[in-house]
Structure formats: C-alpha cells, structure tokens
Amino acid sequence: LGMNDYTFGGNFNRLKNLAVANGGTYYVPSVRSFDENGVADIAALIADAARKSGGKPVILTCASMGSFICYGISRDKAAVANLKGMAILGGAVDPDFPKSAFAKAKKPVWFTHGSADKVYSADQQATIFRTLLKAGEPARFTRYETGSHGTPVRMTDWR
C-alpha cells in the first residue's frame, strides 16, 4: 500500500516527495509474514539502508498489523542501532514496548491513532505512550478524534 499514490488521500505520495526533496530514499517492502521471519527480513533491509544512507537517518514506519514488525524490530539491538526513529500508525498495542531495546536506547517514537479505531485501541496505545513519557523517553502521540482505523494513514502530517 505504501507505493499507492492515490489510496489514503495521497499521503504516501506526500511522504515520498518529502523523502526525495530531502535527499532520502523511500523503501516499501512487502512482508512475507508478521512473525520473526518478517522481522528478520526488515532487519536486513534496515541494515542495508543504513549502509547505503551515507549517514542519513533511517526511520521505520509501520501501520496497522505491520506494527508487529516494528515491535519485533524494537527488540533487535542491531536493528535499533541502525534506526533514528520509528512511527506506528493505528497499530496494535505492545505492553512490552517500553522495555524494548528501542525504548532503552531512547529513540523517538511517534504513535498516531484514530479515537474510534475498532481494530486496535487508541486508549491502550495512549497508555503505552504515557508510560514512555513518564520514563523520559522521546515519544509523541497524535490522536485523531472520531478517526477510524485508517485515519492515521490518511492524516499523518509527515513534515
């Protein structure tokens, strides 16, 4: 979906343009599975992107069920070392995320969530966010009031 310029209000098109305008590269992998095999594939892509980036930041963004990949990556110290930050859009809730290598490294994370999401709870995600804030972690939470599950993918302002 991240290559589709028209679905989700063209938000991926805006993100691609921002990446290119800032000298970056935009990767959109297909994940074979949302388990440790999928996490390993994305960890390898992150390592490759970091090697090729010329020192520019590598940021991982996962939406919806893809958040399982972000959470798996958050436990991989080598992958975390290659990341500048992470964004989770309308994702699942991982109660262990505050204990992850990513959180311990104090890397910034941005959660975006629709308040009316019937797939994953915005309130539970906000609880994880507050836990991170309380621990002094760099975290941000954007809640789209009355937004549904797909709202964060359409509305996230990447600037």
Side-chain angles (χ1 to χ4, degrees):
L1 292 175
M3 286 304 295
N4 184 326
D5 287 342
Y6 301 101
T7 302
F8 303 115
N11 204 2
F12 291 127
N13 182 265
R14 288 188 293 282
L15 178 56
K16 285 188 280 186
N17 286 329
L18 279 170
V20 170
N22 288 287
T25 303
Y26 179 79
Y27 292 88
V28 182
S30 292
V31 180
R32 293 181 291 150
S33 61
F34 294 96
D35 58 12
E36 63 276 352
N37 295 321
V39 170
D41 289 345
I42 299 306
L45 178 61
I46 291 168
D48 187 60
R51 276 191 302 278
K52 294 176 178 174
S53 76
K56 292 182 181 166
V58 176
I59 300 167
L60 178 63
T61 301
C62 303
S64 188
M65 192 171 172
S67 61
F68 294 119
I69 299 297
C70 272
Y71 294 134
I73 291 295
S74 77
R75 291 163 172 73
D76 180 332
K77 287 183 183 181
V80 167
N82 286 320
L83 289 175
K84 175 74 172 179
M86 186 181 292
I88 299 175
L89 287 61
V93 176
D94 179 1
D96 291 329
F97 184 69
K99 301 174 200 161
S100 69
F102 185 89
K104 288 178 183 172
K106 298 209 180 282
K107 305 260 178 154
V109 60
W110 182 18
F111 300 99
T112 64
H113 219 103
S115 67
D117 188 332
K118 294 187 185 328
V119 179
Y120 300 118
S121 168
D123 291 336
Q124 289 177 359
Q125 194 69 281
T127 298
I128 298 299
F129 161 72
R130 285 190 293 277
T131 300
L132 293 168
L133 274 187
K134 196 183 268 188
E137 319 259 340
R140 179 177 171 189
F141 187 89
T142 302
R143 181 182 176 114
Y144 300 102
E145 291 305 323
T146 71
S148 65
H149 184 61
T151 300
V153 177
R154 290 189 306 280
M155 299 298 294
T156 297
D157 183 350
W158 296 105
R159 293 171 291 167

